[in-house]
């Protein structure tokens, strides 16, 4: 029991500027945020056209090493856009993980496709290559270079792993499995801007990667998202789809397919550009916080979720792994009641009424983590 008080005291020490209530994650504005937003208002270009949108896209491309970046109004529709651009059609299937935020799976539904759930690894909290390859080897067949699910007869067009809390999944292994089975890889890197695996930015392993810039993420545009890709044609398609599929013309309104109104407004991008200028600093501070946590939790014999050797995490949300579900719930109660905001990792997507009937493999690791992991305050402290 003494441990809870020690944890509460430690969090209060680390976040000494926040007096009463310590939130899970708040944005960090310390640079040109106000300046750029005011500039944007003064320019009158506050909507979907303007220089900040282009500059923000370029800064994300530069930072991640991707050739192109297309920004949109949130991370959920970034995934939707990527799925549609990858050729996912009504009735197709998309493989994903059950341990994720609901947005990953909702986006699959927006594309009129169904999710198929494979397990995660305990040490990454991301998709398990073993579970993925076992499912594909046993349940699919290639016909004309298209992967078909033998039990449903449907096309498995894409695979959508997620990098949990900014930690990398075994994404290179996942990539080669997808290649072998002719499945397009799209990374839900919503939580992972600034993270890398074997020196390469997360989001750049797949044909496309997506980010979220919601208010609780590592950097924010208020609401916002992005798709990155090295494929120029695909990038043009993403841009086209996100801007109502309007054919560029000085004044005529001609549209060549059903598009979406998904383009990020310039006002949001102004905030985002300033945030990108701070990203390096934010990552350094978050890393310092994580190592302080790690040292502390090992001193009291609690299990802190650590970075693996071949990755560099952005440590978006720090996490501890409790002994069992009961301890998870007690930890949540004790800390939240003491004004230290903590949240459990998600319930499995396969438990949600909408997705209960979907095909799934053995999900023991996902269930194990779901019953034990708790996120602890992770904002930037200076
Ligand atoms: C935040 C998040 C998204 C997208 O969220 P938006 O709020 O739509 O920007 C998608 N997937 C995961 C895993 C997320 O954490």
């Amino acid at each position: 029991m003494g441990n809870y008080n020690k944890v509460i005291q430690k969090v209060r020490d680390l976040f000494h500027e926040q007096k009463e209530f310590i939130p899970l994650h708040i944005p960090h504005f310390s640079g040109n945020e106000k300046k750029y937003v005011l500039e944007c208002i003064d320019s009158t270009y506050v909507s979907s056209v303007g220089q900040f949108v282009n500059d923000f896209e370029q800064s994300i491309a530069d930072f991640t090493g991707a050739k192109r970046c297309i920004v949109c109004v949130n991370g959920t529709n970034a995934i939707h856009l990527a799925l549609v651009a990858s050729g996912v059609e009504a009735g197709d299937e998309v493989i994903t993980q059950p341990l994720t935020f609901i947005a990953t799976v909702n986006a699959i539904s927006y594309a009129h496709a169904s999710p198929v759930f494979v397990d995660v690894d305990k040490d990454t909290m991301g998709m398990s290559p073993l579970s993925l390859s076992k499912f594909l080897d046993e349940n699919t067949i290639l016909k004309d270079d298209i992967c078909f699910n033998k039990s449903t007869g449907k096309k498995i067009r894409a695979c959508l792993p997620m990098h949990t809390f900014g930690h990398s999944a075994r994404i290179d292994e996942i990539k080669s499995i997808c290649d072998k089975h002719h499945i397009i890889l799209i990374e839900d890197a919503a939580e992972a801007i600034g993270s890398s695996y074997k020196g390469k930015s997360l989001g750049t392993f797949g044909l496309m990667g997506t980010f979220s810039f919601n208010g609780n993420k590592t950097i924010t545009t208020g609401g916002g998202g992005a798709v990155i890709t090295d494929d120029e044609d695909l990038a043009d398609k993403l841009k086209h789809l996100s801007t109502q599929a309007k054919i560029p013309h000085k004044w005529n309104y001609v549209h060549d397919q059903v598009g979406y109104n998904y383009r990020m407004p310039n006002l949001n991008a102004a905030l985002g550009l300033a945030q990108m200028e701070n990203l390096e600093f934010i990552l350094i501070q978050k890393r310092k916080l994580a190592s302080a946590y790690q040292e502390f939790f090992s001193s009291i014999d609690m299990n802190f979720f650590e970075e693996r050797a071949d990755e560099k995490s952005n440590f978006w949300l720090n996490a501890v792994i409790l002994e069992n579900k009961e301890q998870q719930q007690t930890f949540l109660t004790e800390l939240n009641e003491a004004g230290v905001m903590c949240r459990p990792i998600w319930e499995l997507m396969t438990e949600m009424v909408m997705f209960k009937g979907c095909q799934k493999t053995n999900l023991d690791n996902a269930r194990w983590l779901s019953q034990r992991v708790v996120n602890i305050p992770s904002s930037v402290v200076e």
Side-chain angles (χ1 to χ4, degrees), residues 210-224:
T210 67
F211 296 120
S212 164
F213 307 115
N214 191 33
N216 65 346
K217 293 289 181 358
T218 301
I219 59 165
T220 185
T221 57

Side-chain angles (χ1 to χ4, degrees), residues 71-87:
V71 288
C72 22
V73 294
N74 59 56
T76 311
N77 62 42
I79 304 170
H80 179 206
L81 212 55
L83 289 168
V84 172
S86 75

